[in-house]
């Protein structure tokens, strides 16, 4: 199949079918099919954009289901918009596909397209352009969103005494990998839960909208809490202490039956796509209210302190982390 | 070298050193180093964006000089902004590098970075984000620019009777490939000229700025004149005739000594990154004035007609094209 037909068949037509009747659609002056997409940013808003590449057998098993690969690729990118407090608008897809292969076929593309638009539809983000090339399987997605001027959640806003919080639970991403690589076996419900967390992580867009006036700094946890919190520390020129006993762990993670392993995954496993954010003591009542109203699931896991780097403590004693965060290289 | 150090070493610091003191720099609220870049579109302008992937040994020889690979990657992307009439503002870079290889090293990255920022500096476009992953060598660049609302040059504006024009000369890209693959030998000056045309194509941004009020439709020629003009025809629901004898050929291409081969390259070779645009008879005097003043180098090569598809004619007789445009698949 030739490039133009391929793009038309699986992406352009599919996108047209969706016809999102919301502001994302209205803001697309010109979508797929010209030299550039032409896009209208809402008035008084800034463009927030982030790009990520997923390579077969590096970021996902090459024989994973194409629906799953696509959903994960778009959802993890949306997580970067959530981390910034931006609302999703548009994305581009650069897809490199092997010319001949026993796992990438028309059927594969159909599945990929199905997963991609399922996630795109759910989070109301519109495909506005892309590129299809032949080569080893990899997927590059760039998401674009909008955030009110001066309201973005950045990494450099933390202050001494701010509380360090995370949404939901940590460590599930690493545990899911262990299950998929047959290093861990749990009951079917727990394994299903972990697989879903891995392939369909929830970008914390609702939480992010609520936290915008509350958090002093924020990011999403892709490399592990310690590594990512360290980015807030570096950007804010401060240090942090994590209280390991307070790490929120899912029932599946607790079912592993090895608390030290679970905590290591929560601290340094990565692939969680939860938000890590800091809140000043003055703003804590507002966060507590959101938690009490069950509008947000968040836990205080530490504090911003003077100094450099992230220290872990268990019941007040120094806690040695046995592994580091995920490194691509 | 770990991912964060690598990015910092070769890209973030380099970008900071440039300190472009123009609107591109002023419009970057937050560049590399947070979850998203935060960008401010100029008032009353729309965002124009385009993404392209270059894969080693598909789009360039894996052992090509890293400076050349980088310059070509950014310049060909800028050509898409030119095709739209948009002014360059920002770009992202998703770079996939082999973990161990005999051609990608720290030295390679240094060269890549040098070429990238040479082009970025020349065309005043700012690197605002990216991703570095390990895998087979490939480069995805997404350029972003701005164009006044309703002033973009689209593909769907051609009318019957419009003249079809191209900037500068065609066929050099394909001839350059023939030289690099040892299928063609010319004198040193011509070969040097062709190599430069291949690795450092000039995005026609100046021409594009001048043509915005004049052209009824436009695009850049990446797949070959016939294939690309056909995109204008399809979008405008019309056909076109190309007068083969009017194709502008460079002295290097004429030196090939085989006019039919030269014309085939000009019609279907691709990789030229010149503009193809249409102009109504009423607007031709304005174009003629720009040509006479040497503000733009352009040639009329055909006409938009009723019907479907692109026909070639030589001195009024049907002309059979011997090869098709470049296809990735």
């Amino acid at each position: 199949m030739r490039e133009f037909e391929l793009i038309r068949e699986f992406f352009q037509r599919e996108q047209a079918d969706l016809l999102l009747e919301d502001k994302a659609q209205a803001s697309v002056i010109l979508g797929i099919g010209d030299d550039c997409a032409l896009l209208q940013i809402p008035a008084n808003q800034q463009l927030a954009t982030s790009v990520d590449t997923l390579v077969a057998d590096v970021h996902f098993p090459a024989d994973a289901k194409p629906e799953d690969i696509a959903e994960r690729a778009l959802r993890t990118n949306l997580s970067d918009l959530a981390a910034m407090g931006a609302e999703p608008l548009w994305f581009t897809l650069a897809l490199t596909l092997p010319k001949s292969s026993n796992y990438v076929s028309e059927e594969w593309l159909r599945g990929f397209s199905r997963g991609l638009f399922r996630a795109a539809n759910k989070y109301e983000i519109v495909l506005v352009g892309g590129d299809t090339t032949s080569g080893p399987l990899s997927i590059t997605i760039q998401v674009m969103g909008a955030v009110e001027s001066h309201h973005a959640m950045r990494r450099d806003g933390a202050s001494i005494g701010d509380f360090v919080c995370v949404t939901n639970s940590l460590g599930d991403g690493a545990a899911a990998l262990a299950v998929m690589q047959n290093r861990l076996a749990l009951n079917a419900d727990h394994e299903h839960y972990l697989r879903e967390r891995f392939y369909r992580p929830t970008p914390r867009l609702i939480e992010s909208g609520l936290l915008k006036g509350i958090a002093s700094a924020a990011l999403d946890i892709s490399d592990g809490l310690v590594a990512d919190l360290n980015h807030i520390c570096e950007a804010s020129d401060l240090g942090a202490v994590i209280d390991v006993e307070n790490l929120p762990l899912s029932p599946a993670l607790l079912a592993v039956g090895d608390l030290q392993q679970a905590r290591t995954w929560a601290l340094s496993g990565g692939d969680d796509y939860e938000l890590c954010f800091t809140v000043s003591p003055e703003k804590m009542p507002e966060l507590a209210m959101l938690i009490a109203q069950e509008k947000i699931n968040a836990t205080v896991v530490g504090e911003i302190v003077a100094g450099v780097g992230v220290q872990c403590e268990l019941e007040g004693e120094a806690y040695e982390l046995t592994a580091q965060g995920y490194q691509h290289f």
Side-chain angles (χ1 to χ4, degrees), chain A residues 175-307:
Chain A
L177 264 181
V179 165
M180 289 187 286
Q181 294 170 350
N182 298 313
R183 289 182 281 112
L184 173 68
L186 295 172
N187 74 35
D189 284 354
H190 288 323
E191 290 198 355
H192 176 76
Y193 163 84
L194 291 175
R195 269 181 227 274
E196 286 298 304
R197 286 276 277 167
F198 186 83
Y199 280 118
R200 271 167 286 283
T202 305
R204 299 299 176 189
L205 292 158
I206 294 169
E207 292 80 351
S208 149
L210 294 169
L211 289 172
K212 245 186 283 182
I214 297 174
S216 51
L219 45 59
D220 69 326
I221 302 173
S222 53
D223 297 326
L225 175 61
V226 171
D228 285 316
L229 178 55
N230 197 47
H231 294 150
I232 288 182
C233 290
E234 285 186 354
S236 303
D237 214 10
L238 290 169
V241 174
I242 294 172
D243 301 315
V244 173
E245 67 274 19
N246 292 339
L247 292 172
L249 306 174
S250 69
L253 209 60
L254 289 170
V256 172
D258 177 345
L259 193 58
Q260 195 181 352
Q261 176 63 82
R263 284 171 170 165
T264 297
W265 280 334
L267 287 167
S268 62
D271 282 323
D272 281 326
Y273 302 102
E274 296 296 342
L275 298 179
C276 171
F277 58 98
T278 58
V279 179
S280 70
E282 296 73 40
K283 291 281 189 182
M284 274 307 287
E286 288 182 52
L287 177 62
M289 181 75 81
L290 289 176
I291 295 172
Q293 292 170 338
E294 295 188 3
K295 288 187 174 164
I296 186 169
N297 181 345
T299 309
V300 176
V301 298
E303 198 181 335
I304 297 295
V305 297

Side-chain angles (χ1 to χ4, degrees), chain A residues 70-96:
Chain A
E71 277 220 57
R72 176 171 154 80
L74 185 52
R75 283 165 173 264
T76 55
N77 268 277
L78 283 163
S79 179
D80 281 314
L81 290 181
M84 213 71 200
E87 220 171 316
L89 289 174
W90 321 295
F91 73 106
T92 61
L93 167 71
L95 192 58
T96 302

